[in-house]
Amino acid sequence: MTTDGIPRPLNWKELYQLAMLEMDPAKLPSAITRANDAILDSIERIDRNALGHELSALNDALNNLRLLRREYEHGMKEYREQDRRKLG
């Protein structure tokens, strides 16, 4: 992640991998958001004629992040419901 001691920004693929591998539920929403934003930025900059495979990879990554976010939100909803049942 560094070149000559200077940190370089992470690209969309690295941010995507970090989000998909994040195990800490408290960190997952921000990891998903960072990856999603990086992917959208890449889509805006891409030359659609030259890099069709890259656009496909970006689209796949966005879809996977949507699924990950949905699973996270579903898990949090179930956790809150279980917590309410214990208290009530």
Side-chain angles (χ1 to χ4, degrees), residues 3-88:
T3 304
D4 298 329
I6 300 169
R8 66 170 175 74
L10 300 175
N11 65 37
W12 75 265
K13 289 179 184 177
E14 292 165 324
L15 291 169
Y16 169 71
Q17 289 174 341
L18 289 173
M20 296 303 289
L21 297 173
E22 181 58 65
M23 299 300 290
D24 184 344
K27 295 179 182 177
L28 186 57
S30 64
I32 292 171
T33 298
R34 287 181 65 204
N36 193 73
D37 290 348
I39 292 167
L40 292 175
D41 288 344
S42 294
I43 289 172
E44 288 178 5
R45 291 189 313 258
I46 197 167
D47 178 357
R48 281 153 180 75
N49 296 324
L51 296 170
H53 64 281
E54 181 76 2
L55 189 57
S56 178
L58 288 161
N59 189 45
D60 288 346
L62 277 177
N63 287 331
N64 290 334
L65 288 172
R66 279 188 204 106
L67 289 172
L68 181 60
R69 186 184 315 260
R70 198 173 304 144
E71 288 298 317
Y72 169 79
E73 290 171 353
H74 179 73
M76 291 305 295
K77 180 181 175 185
E78 284 185 4
Y79 175 78
R80 286 189 296 270
E81 287 174 1
Q82 287 176 356
D83 204 35
R84 271 190 235 125
R85 281 189 220 126
K86 288 179 186 175
L87 296 173

